[in-house]
Amino acid sequence: MTATGRLTTSVAPAAAEILFERHLRAPEDPVAAELRPTSQVDRAHVVMLAEQGVVGRETAARLLAGIEELRATGFAPLRHRPAPRGRYLAYEGYLVEQLGAETGGVLHSGRSRNDLNATVLRLQLRVPYDRLLTECDALGSALTVGARRWHTTVMPAYTHHQPAVPITYGHYLAGVAAALVRDLDQLEHAGRELDESPLGAGAVGGTSLPIDPHRTTELLGFTDPLPNSLHAVASRDLVLRLLAGCAVLGVLLTRVAHDLQSWTSAENGLLHLPDDLVGSSSMMPQKRNPFLLENIQGKAAAALGALTAATTAMSTARYTNAIAVGTEATGHIWSALEATTDAVVLLRLIVEGAEPRAERMLRRATDGQTSATALAERLVVAGVPFRTAHHDVGDISREAVETGRPFEEVAAQRLTGHPARLLADLDPASVAASATAGGGPGLASVLAAADDATARLDALRTAADARRERWSAADKTLTAAVTTLISGSTV
């Protein structure tokens, strides 16, 4: 059923996928999910071992061929294999059984599960991290487009839930875009640790074998190997920084959702959402519930809980390789990244679909006497001390409320001794248009803020494109190296 009650359409597909459909999908095979990135590290490690002469090229070729066969089958032989000491050892044990100890047994030369796990974590984080940044970029674009589109749509700015001064809806969206860009920049900065490879650190003290961490760094698409083996295996601060970035972003998403929830209420009605972005009631047919905003609030809070849990878990461990750090604490990152990304997507849908009720917004700005501050500032220009002007305009406001007369009418009566220009263009739209100083809602200011956000988004997008290109190029380079080793042998 696509319609219910007052609603004529189903929920937008992107929202429906997040809220109603994703949990119905068959989960990814956990064996393949764990072993595919692990085997990617193995491929790079074996290629490097062969190039360094630690392992013979014929042995390396046979081992790589066995790994490639497992990858091609989705690790099917390991799907139901017992793993009493962990899936990795079961996987390595299978290679030993199939290829012999002289071949399968060399896989772990110069390496530990400690640096392997730290490396695999970075590989696994690439896709959800990249998706989060991509969706933030899309939200930023929606905000800047809206800022330019609605830059003359006058509304009240609110402080303490009360009308304050006149702004525009575009000015509000540009302000959110500015905050989003800062949060996105912090996430991008936190993610730079994804480019540092821990591989080569061994259990905690490196290795005496002549390995080349720079080569595996290149083959896996990292930029640099971590220079200290203790740091490489002891630290998962990458997870904390990503969670912290998500938590800060979540605060912004939640605060914006609160605003939009108020502005879409029946009592305010400043924004209208289309049928595909609201829900109905199973009992009350007249309802149009902006329920996606509640989902945003709930999902945006997930990272804060994950950050608290991960930080607590890590703080119990000494500064060396530790299960509390590498396993228990990092386990919180996946759901937090997904929930934060989902909240970003949902807010983008709302921003793209929301239509301001311009007449109602303007009326609220007028009825809320939002031009009062501008009148006080004009009195200051006319030579009146600000505190005196503040007091006099406050009296005008009170009289207007008590008598039910327009603010401008009472002001004209009370300020007869001042030049006529004092009261000219005192309507909220004119006041908003004139407020260009200090990043106000004037046209030039709003467009400058939108242009600044767009430029910053472009720079972050360029960096993300370069990062993805590096990952893709490294994958091709690694595959070519593996193919060359295998084809150059007698296997």
Side-chain angles (χ1 to χ4, degrees), residues 4 26 60 101 121 138 146 173 197 210 218 236 274 315 347 353 391 418-419 423 426 470:
T4 179
L121 172 67
L173 294 178
S197 174
E218 174 193 10
R236 298 296 189 277
S315 67
L347 184 57
H391 178 80
H418 292 276
L423 298 172
L426 198 58
R470 173 163 36 84

Side-chain angles (χ1 to χ4, degrees), residues 38 41-42 88 108 111-120:
T38 298
V41 178
D42 288 345
Y88 175 77
H108 219 46
R111 197 180 66 185
S112 165
R113 272 191 296 181
N114 297 353
D115 61 335
L116 172 62
N117 289 342
T119 307
V120 167

Side-chain angles (χ1 to χ4, degrees), residues 124-425:
Q124 290 174 320
L125 280 171
R126 285 178 177 177
V127 170
Y129 171 75
D130 184 67
R131 178 172 177 258
L132 173 59
L133 266 58
T134 298
E135 294 298 346
C136 284
D137 177 64
L139 172 59
S141 296
L143 289 165
T144 55
V145 167
R148 296 183 178 95
R149 180 181 180 187
W150 308 113
H151 68 269
T152 60
T153 304
V154 178
M155 66 175 291
Y158 288 89
T159 61
H160 308 286
H161 300 279
Q162 305 301 317
V165 294
I167 60 168
T168 66
Y169 184 51
H171 180 254
Y172 175 84
L173 294 178
V176 177
L180 175 70
V181 167
R182 298 308 191 278
D183 292 346
L184 183 53
D185 182 68
Q186 290 302 305
L187 282 169
E188 195 274 340
H189 189 273
R192 292 177 191 176
E193 291 185 59
L194 282 174
D195 291 334
E196 299 172 335
S197 174
L199 195 61
V204 70
T207 177
S208 60
L209 293 176
I211 64 170
D212 182 4
H214 288 278
R215 178 57 169 158
T216 50
T217 290
E218 174 193 10
L219 292 172
L220 292 171
F222 296 107
T223 57
D224 299 286
L226 285 168
N228 183 275
S229 61
L230 174 61
H231 174 223
V233 300
S235 176
R236 298 296 189 277
D237 289 352
L238 163 65
V239 168
L240 297 184
R241 291 189 179 92
L242 288 177
L243 287 175
C246 288
V248 173
L249 171 61
V251 171
L252 172 65
L253 302 176
T254 299
R255 295 179 71 187
V256 174
H258 278 307
D259 283 342
L260 302 183
Q261 199 168 34
S262 173
W263 299 345
T264 54
S265 68
E267 287 74 14
N268 288 322
L270 303 184
L271 289 176
H272 174 76
L273 295 177
D275 282 3
D276 66 349
L277 295 179
V278 298
S280 184
S281 164
S282 63
M283 183 177 187
M284 298 166 284
Q286 86 283 7
K287 294 296 293 297
R288 296 185 85 258
N289 301 324
F291 74 106
L292 297 184
L293 294 169
E294 297 180 55
N295 288 113
I296 291 170
Q297 292 163 2
K299 291 180 179 297
L304 179 57
L307 175 61
T308 301
T311 304
T312 303
M314 289 192 192
S315 67
T316 66
R318 294 185 177 183
Y319 193 70
T320 184
N321 181 73
I323 290 175
V325 174
T327 301
E328 298 301 330
T330 59
H332 299 283
I333 185 68
W334 311 110
S335 60
L337 282 173
E338 180 176 75
T340 304
T341 304
D342 288 346
V344 171
V345 172
L346 294 177
L347 184 57
R348 173 181 58 79
L349 295 174
I350 296 290
V351 169
E352 291 175 339
E355 291 281 337
R357 295 291 178 86
E359 292 184 4
R360 194 155 186 171
M361 284 182 165
L362 180 58
R363 185 166 65 251
R364 290 297 301 126
T366 302
D367 294 345
Q369 302 179 353
T370 57
S371 298
T373 301
L375 178 56
E377 290 177 342
R378 292 182 186 185
L379 287 171
V380 170
V381 173
V384 178
F386 176 77
R387 192 52 57 197
T388 302
H390 185 279
H391 178 80
D392 291 345
V393 174
D395 278 344
I396 293 171
S397 171
R398 180 169 55 252
E399 181 177 337
V401 171
E402 291 174 350
T403 62
R405 298 160 61 198
F407 174 78
E408 293 85 347
E409 179 182 315
V410 177
Q413 182 182 29
R414 293 279 296 271
L415 299 174
T416 54
H418 292 276
R421 65 177 180 274
L422 188 74
L423 298 172
D425 300 323

